[in-house]
Amino acid sequence: MKKINDYLNPPKILVLGFAIIILIGTFLLTLPIATENGKGLSFLDALFTATSATCVTGLVVVDTADTFSTFGELVVLTLIQVGGLGFMTFGTFLFILLGKKISLKERLVLKEAYNNISISGIVKLVKRILLFTIIIETIGATILSIRFSFDMPIGTAIYYGFFHAISNFNNAGFDLMGEFRSLTDYVDDPFVVLTICSLITLGGLGFIVFNELYEYRMTRRLSVNTKIVLITTFILTAGASILIFLFEYNNPNTLGTLDSSGKGYGALFHAVTPRTAGANTLPIADLTHASLFLTIILMYIGAGSGSTAGGIKITTFAVLMATFWSQLKGKEDIVLFKRRIEMQTILKAITVALSGLMIILLVTILLSITDKGHPFIMYLFEATSAFGTVGLSMGLTPELSSFGRVIIIFTMFVGRLGPLTLGFAITRRRTKEAFHHPKGKIMIG
Amino acid sequence: MKKINDYLNPPKILVLGFAIIILIGTFLLTLPIATENGKGLSFLDALFTATSATCVTGLVVVDTADTFSTFGELVVLTLIQVGGLGFMTFGTFLFILLGKKISLKERLVLKEAYNNISISGIVKLVKRILLFTIIIETIGATILSIRFSFDMPIGTAIYYGFFHAISNFNNAGFDLMGEFRSLTDYVDDPFVVLTICSLITLGGLGFIVFNELYEYRMTRRLSVNTKIVLITTFILTAGASILIFLFEYNNPNTLGTLDSSGKGYGALFHAVTPRTAGANTLPIADLTHASLFLTIILMYIGAGSGSTAGGIKITTFAVLMATFWSQLKGKEDIVLFKRRIEMQTILKAITVALSGLMIILLVTILLSITDKGHPFIMYLFEATSAFGTVGLSMGLTPELSSFGRVIIIFTMFVGRLGPLTLGFAITRRRTKEAFHHPKGKIMIG
Ligand SMILES: [K+]
Ligand SMILES: [K+]
């Protein structure tokens, strides 16, 4: 019994579980009834689509609406919801497990960070996650359906409303608009832009933050983790909106032709979507280099831990920035919102950030070898988009060679599972060392 | 008296001193006798060249041999030698100052790290640095002069021998070959390639390492700092040689047309030069994207602390990698060569690495705005080359707008002074805090 438990530790269950879901999805998408042409998808393209949907990425090698039958689209939607919810609940579960472990040592700290959530509250928690998800998705779907009903028959509008609400709350980036054009038709439409931006942002906060906000009426207090996620999300969204607004102001292919409120909606959407939703209202390949590089940085950062979003996570970014700032100011303690950050947290942040960076660098170099002849930024962009499970594309993904497709499939899977399971593995396997080496002096900088 | 001392702390002396040297150089290069056409250089181009030479970078807006008179070339060479030696001696001096401060607390550790060098030994040390420099440069110049004498008159060969020995030992990247072609004529010439690779590598080790190697006959021991620099230099050089050999093997514009030993020399040179010398034997713009990206990563890393090279420095890279690895293995201590790395060293490494990254990201975005219409990788490449004071160029620098030139001038200056003075500032200003905030729990990854 002990052996089975050792073998099937939580990270392995996560990896295996998602691999099985992806394989089932792949099988379903290869069925003749899955595609409009009645032939079914090739194995590699089906594997790509199933991985992209389950890992809530949104990179596509075939256009969703143009290729799939309604059955195929519903398979994709189900994979998104299972993948998204799966990560949310499993991420929350893992987080509580981590907390549980630490709580033996530092109950007081825990009490603040996790609002007294304990293993015994798991069932209640999962119920609450489900409830939150259903409520938010339904509200989003209703608003979108009403808006879409002006452009299409009411039945289609409702279907589209639900599909896009679910896809965007789960930060999945899939759409039904056809011709790989995502939401470009709605670039200056306040209903669509504001609704989808809200769905994306809420999905990216993560359930722990969610739950704290929900309970704020009673508790009247937020943990430092939640404060970091909320404030950093606000700063990144506002900062990126302003920068993209400026970078694209005169670009005739993006914001240039829109009026000033249209420019604002376009900039806001493209500040929100890189972290890590994947829908777009502007043609990505036509963005300026400045906006593309900013997007790459935002895709790398991602959103909240234990959320449906990918990337190194917003807290990792905030901890590294706080470290940087404290060091520049010559402070001994690294402090965020009047709370000292433990060295262990900083070491974990370095590890997560470096692992993300190394994966992106490796994938960029590999893609430039397997799929020659494209501008360099395309490789960097698609690699970061896949790692961050973002789904934005400059157009390279549909043109990828089979090798390139396999590389992106692996990257999405690793990107989705990596940081979380890595974080868990680090905290779990830690051992007190009996022997300490003497200190060594090293010149830095 | 105290006030003057407070104002003129070592980092400020360094910044001021180099600014003055650059301005003198700028003035000299605008003189009519400095250029072959007898008109002198424009102020901005002279400032650019003087900054590039003093900061031992090697990025050029005008070709050195084609533009400058012998007087102008000697001004450039003098700036290189003053800049290079200045940083070596000043860097060593700073390092000893740092050591001195720490020694009050941890004499035993210090004793190992610095081989008992103390402030009182400064004069002896500066003498030794000068002696090392003269000996190594003379040996290099002699070999190169002999080799060049087969291609040109003996007087020119000796001049060229000294110029390229000094330029490369100081990792300055300037050359006299004309037409921006650097050492491409000597791509498969073992004398030139091996001599210059040796000069670059020795110059990049830094004087502390140098001195330890020199004293090894007596002491029979190396500090952990020296071991890290030597081993990491070897790993990076060998690894990059193999990768570039593979990436360029079939590239008809680079290694493709050479025989296998020529391919080896070409790959070796381009593994060595990004850290952070700046001469090239292959046409940079024709390298594959994989090699270019690898070069960017190597330029960012750089070579040894307190050496003539730039970048975040090899020890910073090694400490971050060791942190990453220890965390993956779940180890409590971060250990390199049986020596525990202090948390303070890791925090400093994060700060130096992040500051480098942020400068490069900012400069890349700025260049893409001020100088539109080039491939993205060019901006990233020139920004990293300037920050790392490397001097390799894909060809963007000579075409830069005035804004772009000013940005690169600033980047070279900050890149040269930044990490070192930053490192010093961090260690110096540290204050014990009277009040500690309580710990906060944060979700990472
Ligand atoms: K996504
Ligand atoms: K250089």
Side-chain angles (χ1 to χ4, degrees), chain A residues 95 225 289 305 315 327 331-333 340 342-343 351 374 430 432-433 436-438 440-441 443 445, chain B residues 95 225 289 305 315 327 331-333 340 342-343 351 374 430 432-433 436-438 440-441 443 445:
Chain A
F95 184 45
N225 188 70
H289 280 143
S305 290
T315 40
Q327 285 285 300
K331 304 269 184 197
E332 198 185 4
D333 290 348
R340 200 149 37 92
E342 285 179 278
M343 279 326 294
T351 309
H374 298 280
R430 184 156 310 283
K432 276 275 172 199
E433 267 137 302
H436 293 286
H437 287 288
K441 266 268 162 296
M443 298 164 78
Chain B
F95 184 47
N225 187 70
H289 280 143
S305 289
T315 40
Q327 285 284 301
K331 303 270 185 196
E332 198 185 6
D333 290 349
R340 199 149 38 92
E342 285 178 278
M343 279 328 288
T351 309
H374 299 279
R430 185 155 309 283
K432 277 274 172 198
E433 267 137 301
H436 294 287
H437 288 286
K441 268 268 160 296
M443 299 165 77

Side-chain angles (χ1 to χ4, degrees), chain A residues 147-192:
Chain A
R147 174 62 190 84
F148 289 146
S149 70
F150 290 90
D151 301 339
M152 52 188 86
I154 184 72
T156 318
I158 292 172
Y159 175 46
Y160 273 42
F162 270 92
F163 190 97
H164 292 95
I166 293 171
S167 177
N168 282 292
F169 178 66
N170 288 290
N171 277 354
F174 280 85
D175 70 88
L176 294 181
M177 298 304 173
E179 294 167 3
F180 296 108
R181 71 173 184 268
S182 192
L183 300 170
T184 46
D185 291 348
Y186 298 94
V187 58
D188 54 358
D189 186 301
F191 286 95
V192 174

Side-chain angles (χ1 to χ4, degrees), chain A residues 333-385:
Chain A
D333 290 348
I334 318 294
V335 173
L336 261 174
F337 298 105
K338 298 190 179 164
R339 286 289 174 277
R340 200 149 37 92
I341 305 172
E342 285 179 278
M343 279 326 294
Q344 193 45 49
T345 306
I346 294 172
L347 294 180
K348 214 193 275 183
I350 301 176
T351 309
V352 170
L354 279 179
S355 67
L357 204 57
M358 286 193 271
I359 291 167
I360 290 171
L361 299 182
L362 180 66
V363 172
T364 302
I365 288 178
L366 287 178
L367 287 180
S368 83
I369 295 170
T370 59
D371 292 79
K372 281 185 186 169
H374 298 280
F376 172 77
I377 196 167
M378 270 193 163
Y379 306 122
L380 186 63
F381 195 97
E382 312 290 291
T384 314
S385 181

Side-chain angles (χ1 to χ4, degrees), chain A residues 257-276:
Chain A
T257 55
L258 300 171
D259 62 18
S260 53
S261 74
K263 282 183 168 72
Y265 290 125
L268 172 67
F269 197 94
H270 277 265
V272 169
T273 191
R275 308 177 35 254
T276 59

Side-chain angles (χ1 to χ4, degrees), chain A residues 69-123:
Chain A
S69 63
T70 305
F71 172 80
E73 290 169 11
L74 289 176
V75 169
V76 169
L77 192 63
T78 308
L79 291 174
I80 290 171
Q81 187 63 81
V82 170
L85 257 184
F87 276 105
M88 254 221 175
T89 48
F90 205 94
T92 307
F93 176 69
L94 263 186
F95 184 45
I96 291 162
L97 267 190
L98 290 177
K100 191 75 185 168
K101 183 142 198 297
I102 300 161
S103 79
L104 299 169
K105 295 180 205 154
E106 308 161 312
R107 289 184 184 275
L108 276 174
V109 179
L110 239 190
K111 207 175 157 192
E112 183 210 341
Y114 311 133
N115 271 325
N116 298 317
I117 297 166
S118 68
I119 287 260
S120 57
I122 280 264
V123 178

Side-chain angles (χ1 to χ4, degrees), chain A residues 52 55-59 167 170-174 273 275-279 308-310 385 388-392:
Chain A
S52 183
C55 298
V56 290
T57 305
L59 283 172
S167 177
N170 288 290
N171 277 354
F174 280 85
T273 191
R275 308 177 35 254
T276 59
T308 51
S385 181
T389 68
V390 182
L392 292 172

Side-chain angles (χ1 to χ4, degrees), chain A residues 234-250:
Chain A
F234 177 78
I235 292 172
L236 285 178
T237 306
S241 296
I242 293 166
L243 287 177
I244 289 171
F245 187 85
L246 295 174
F247 292 160
E248 301 299 323
Y249 193 88
N250 287 319

Side-chain angles (χ1 to χ4, degrees), chain B residues 185-206:
Chain B
D185 292 349
Y186 298 94
V187 59
D188 54 357
D189 186 301
F191 286 96
V192 174
V193 168
L194 296 178
T195 307
I196 290 187
C197 282
S198 303
L199 287 168
I200 292 171
T201 306
L202 289 172
L205 292 179

